[in-house]
Amino acid sequence: MPELPEVETVRKGLLPAMEGKLIKRADIRRPDLRWPFPEGMADRLTGARVLRLGRRSKYILADLSTGETLIIHLGMSGRMLINGLGTAEFHNNPALPGKHDHVILDMEDGTRITFNDARRFGAMDLAPTDEVEDHWLLKNLGPEPLGNRFDEAYLIGRLKGRNMPIKTALLDQRIVSGLGNIYVCEVLHRTGISPKRKAGKLSEARVATLVPAIRDVLGEAIEAGGSSLRDYRQTDGELGYFQHSFAVYDRENERCAKEGCKGIVTRVVQSGRSSFYCPTCQR
DNA sequence: ATGTGTTCCTGTCCGC
DNA sequence: TGCGGACAGGAACACA
């Protein structure tokens, strides 16, 4: 589900409810999501204060007063909801946890944070805060696309000699971290690059155009509160609205959104994932 | 080392 | 309405 803009939107929504607040009670309602929860997670969270709520790529990182950091990944369908808003069960009885409410954090001021994840591809783990960058889930992540370490020279270097399609390369979190299927499709459309083009065969000039395009698309999506297609919700249950700005994603057989282009958006499958693009203006 | 296909899980939508 | 199949914002893993 959530790519960087959605995760960042969720983090911002959680900030007032979590940062600086004490976790009064942690209810872990099943033993695992994608992987088992760490040993004694409920006890390690109970009584901890959230010192800082940060983000690395698609991971939300809650630094705790215990010296540990809670690592949260939303997978495809994960939601973090405040006071039960936005769950399917909300309309029936907001006091009862829903079927897919797997972790519930009750904060000292009475606010309830619920991790809801139907598909359970999400994950949570705890690691010492001073070693969190070396955690196995985080240590191989490429640079933040909105950070200083991500620039034209870096991307040119990383794509050099690579035989995979540019679409696949931009989805590889080791090359650049935070992009997912939606935003890669949108970035490639903006730059006029076909998703099928081999990454290592693009000219340096064309690769260079990807960097500002990635920054722009992600920045605009964050401003719009992310994209809501099926599962994604903000922490208050509200939808994001960047999906109204899609030029190609989820627009198969529709007219290309580029000014003056008469192409029709086409869907192809690459490494098992849908790519949407305009064969007329993306070459 | 690279590139590709499979797998985890539930829900929804579409065609018959 | 029911049933089967395709598909879904991710990414680790097994294998050529």
Side-chain angles (χ1 to χ4, degrees):
Chain A
M1 93 93 303
E3 308 179 32
L4 188 152
E6 289 75 33
V7 176
E8 178 62 11
T9 300
V10 168
R11 185 189 73 86
K12 282 182 179 164
L14 290 173
L15 269 177
M18 290 187 78
E19 200 169 74
K21 304 288 170 60
L22 190 112
I23 300 169
K24 190 171 63 185
R25 196 178 85 99
D27 185 9
I28 317 300
R29 305 178 49 76
R30 52 173 300 125
D32 54 34
L33 287 173
R34 181 164 184 180
W35 297 286
F37 290 128
E39 196 69 25
M41 181 162 83
D43 289 340
R44 288 155 76 180
L45 293 175
T46 300
R49 189 173 295 280
V50 178
L51 303 179
R52 200 181 90 90
L53 199 65
R55 180 186 57 75
R56 171 75 172 104
S57 183
K58 301 174 191 174
Y59 294 85
I60 292 172
L61 303 176
D63 294 347
L64 306 175
S65 55
T66 55
E68 292 196 297
T69 292
L70 176 64
I71 301 167
I72 303 168
H73 195 278
L74 302 176
M76 286 282 256
S77 55
R79 300 179 188 178
M80 294 287 285
L81 298 160
I82 298 173
N83 292 332
L85 297 166
T87 61
E89 294 76 17
F90 175 66
H91 300 290
N92 300 330
N93 185 346
L96 291 176
K99 185 171 163 191
H100 302 301
D101 293 346
H102 306 308
V103 173
I104 296 172
L105 303 178
D106 284 317
M107 310 306 287
E108 59 183 332
D109 62 1
T111 303
R112 171 165 285 192
I113 314 288
T114 301
F115 187 116
N116 174 285
D117 185 6
R119 293 178 72 182
R120 304 206 303 273
F121 291 165
M124 281 195 191
D125 201 3
L126 284 161
T129 300
D130 55 7
E131 296 170 18
V132 77
E133 285 174 29
D134 300 322
H135 188 276
W136 66 279
L137 286 169
L138 306 181
K139 68 178 178 195
N140 291 320
L141 291 175
E144 287 290 317
L146 299 176
N148 293 333
R149 286 176 45 228
F150 180 66
D151 61 19
E152 286 80 354
Y154 167 83
L155 192 59
I156 289 166
R158 285 305 298 259
L159 298 183
K160 194 164 291 181
R162 301 304 294 266
N163 208 33
M164 56 168 59
I166 184 64
K167 163 76 186 312
T168 309
L170 293 179
L171 276 179
D172 186 336
Q173 304 296 298
R174 295 167 298 188
I175 293 175
V176 56
S177 67
L179 293 173
N181 209 29
I182 290 178
Y183 299 109
V184 168
C185 290
E186 294 297 312
V187 162
L188 289 173
H189 179 263
R190 276 198 197 194
T191 52
I193 297 172
S194 165
K196 297 197 249 189
R197 183 87 42 202
K198 303 243 188 214
K201 294 197 144 175
L202 285 165
S203 69
E204 294 191 357
R206 298 193 87 195
V207 172
T209 64
L210 285 166
V211 172
I214 288 169
R215 291 220 177 92
D216 289 350
V217 168
L218 293 179
E220 290 165 29
I222 289 170
E223 275 188 52
S227 304
S228 291
L229 294 174
R230 299 160 189 89
D231 295 320
Y232 169 70
R233 292 294 184 280
Q234 302 188 38
T235 52
D236 54 5
E238 288 299 305
L239 306 174
Y241 54 91
F242 190 74
Q243 65 276 13
H244 304 301
S245 303
F246 289 169
V248 285
Y249 187 82
D250 213 17
R251 296 192 60 238
E252 187 179 16
N253 294 329
E254 294 180 39
R255 287 283 298 273
C256 174
K258 185 185 159 93
E259 182 83 11
C261 178
K262 301 243 197 279
I264 300 293
V265 176
T266 301
R267 186 178 79 95
V268 294
V269 175
Q270 297 179 281
S271 338
R273 321 264 331 253
S274 289
S275 295
F276 298 89
Y277 77 111
C278 172
T280 302
C281 67
Q282 290 180 254
R283 314 306 297 216

